[in-house]
Amino acid sequence: MVDAPALPEESTPIRLWGPFRTGLLATIGGLVAIGLGVAVSQLSTVLIYVGFALFAALGLDPVVRFLQRRGISRAWSIVVVYSGFAAVAVGVLLLIVPTVVRQVAQVVADAPKTLHAFTETDFYAWLSSTFGSEWGAWLSDAQSFLTDPANLASLGRGALDVGVGVATTLSGLVIVLVLSLYFLASLDRIKAAFARVFPARSRDQVTRITGQVTDSVGSYLVGMVVLAGINSVVAFTLHLATGLPFAALLGVAAFCITLIPLVGSVLYWVVATTLALFTGWVPALVFGVLYLIYMQVEAYVLTPRVMSRAISVPGSLVVIGALVGGTLLGLLGALIAIPVTASLLLLVTQLVIPRQDAKTSPLEPHPRDTAQKENA
């Protein structure tokens, strides 16, 4: 038997298209991710404006709904709210801005005299006796800096930069107000569209949780503005009552600083009391004690009443959220730290915990298995 001739082996083709396609797609994906990161960094200012506008709309929505419950349509409620807000803002600016500008100029002009008067106080004598001659040298350097014309010129350029920053801030506020008006007018449609992204079986739950989150955030923002306004009035009154200078300036500073959650009042108390020491230790002591008493009233009386509808967040989570938000987004992050933390806490309590509670122990029979045994 003659063996059949062996057929030539077919050459196996080298497949290069698979690795090449994988590398090409990975490279394109990496470039797209880098491009998205660059775009987000370039649009950071716009995103901050949008975030401010959204939170402003959520903060004004409770007031609009309050007017709606009184029989006013939503469109007219929005007009009334924004008209009242504009009237209050213009009135406050007309009353406070000229005084604040005058007092800032007075602070700059009287800085050398203030330092010289500070050297004659008992507090300065205590500092000199405690820290020795180094304290006097530091104060002399500060006085020399403030009286040097070159340094005054640099301060003037810095004031010009501050003016440009103020103009930019005002233009940003206009953009935020316009965006918040659009958000507030279409807030119900935005929430309905957000719910439609999810499956139909989950829309009722999504709508309910979204309503709770927006209500809580709105109540918190309104409460923070109310408490900051009360802080501003109290600080202005205490400065006038104790004879401390720059009452209007420090009243505006109190409103801005106390908007910071949890630590705003304490921070303002430290700053204002320290500045009051330049006038004298007696008015500083009186102001510090009276404002400390108000802080207790705010913590135990005003805050529980004003924040009654907002979600309560543990103090540790507030501090962690404020640190994380301030690190990532600066002032905006610090301001929205509590509402964002409260929203995440609400999602956990409404979604995660019920699912975990529904899971039975591995040592216990599942209810489905128990029902099957009973039916058998």
Side-chain angles (χ1 to χ4, degrees), residues 200-212:
R201 64 178 181 274
S202 305
R203 287 175 185 172
D204 292 338
Q205 185 180 17
V206 171
T207 302
R208 176 174 54 83
I209 295 176
T210 303
Q212 292 178 359

Side-chain angles (χ1 to χ4, degrees), residues 178-349:
V178 173
L179 283 176
S180 63
L181 177 61
Y182 283 109
F183 284 152
L184 186 59
S186 59
L187 190 59
D188 293 336
R189 293 194 298 270
I190 291 174
K191 291 192 288 187
F194 177 74
R196 294 193 65 182
V197 175
F198 295 86
R201 64 178 181 274
S202 305
R203 287 175 185 172
D204 292 338
Q205 185 180 17
V206 171
T207 302
R208 176 174 54 83
I209 295 176
T210 303
Q212 292 178 359
V213 170
T214 54
D215 291 345
S216 177
V217 171
S219 300
Y220 168 78
L221 294 176
V222 171
M224 285 298 298
V225 172
V226 170
L227 291 176
I230 297 174
N231 264 288
S232 178
V233 172
V234 170
F236 178 75
T237 305
L238 289 179
H239 275 80
L240 290 180
T242 54
L244 294 173
F246 315 119
L249 178 61
L250 290 174
V252 174
F255 180 83
C256 298
I257 294 176
T258 53
L259 284 174
I260 302 175
L262 194 65
V263 298
S265 299
V266 179
L267 180 61
Y268 177 76
W269 175 66
V270 173
V271 172
T273 306
T274 303
L275 292 177
L277 288 173
F278 286 88
T279 304
W281 70 269
V282 174
L285 179 62
V286 173
F287 173 83
V289 171
L290 292 178
Y291 194 80
L292 184 62
I293 294 174
Y294 164 74
M295 288 170 57
Q296 305 307 311
V297 174
E298 180 188 57
Y300 293 103
V301 178
L302 296 178
T303 301
R305 292 179 180 271
V306 175
M307 297 293 188
S308 58
R309 294 190 58 192
I311 299 177
S312 59
V313 182
S316 59
L317 293 182
V318 171
V319 175
I320 295 173
L323 291 175
V324 173
T327 303
L328 295 178
L329 297 176
L331 179 60
L332 174 62
L335 293 178
I336 67 176
I338 291 182
V340 170
T341 305
S343 302
L344 295 177
L345 186 62
L346 179 63
L347 294 177
V348 171
T349 56

Side-chain angles (χ1 to χ4, degrees), residues 63-65 67-68 71-84 181 184-185:
V63 183
V64 172
R65 285 185 288 138
L67 295 178
Q68 285 184 276
I72 305 176
S73 64
R74 184 170 181 85
W76 280 108
S77 299
I78 294 174
V79 172
V80 170
V81 168
Y82 269 83
S83 300
L181 177 61
L184 186 59

Side-chain angles (χ1 to χ4, degrees), residues 150 152-162:
L152 292 177
S154 64
L155 290 176
R157 289 192 297 270
L160 180 61
D161 295 337
V162 170

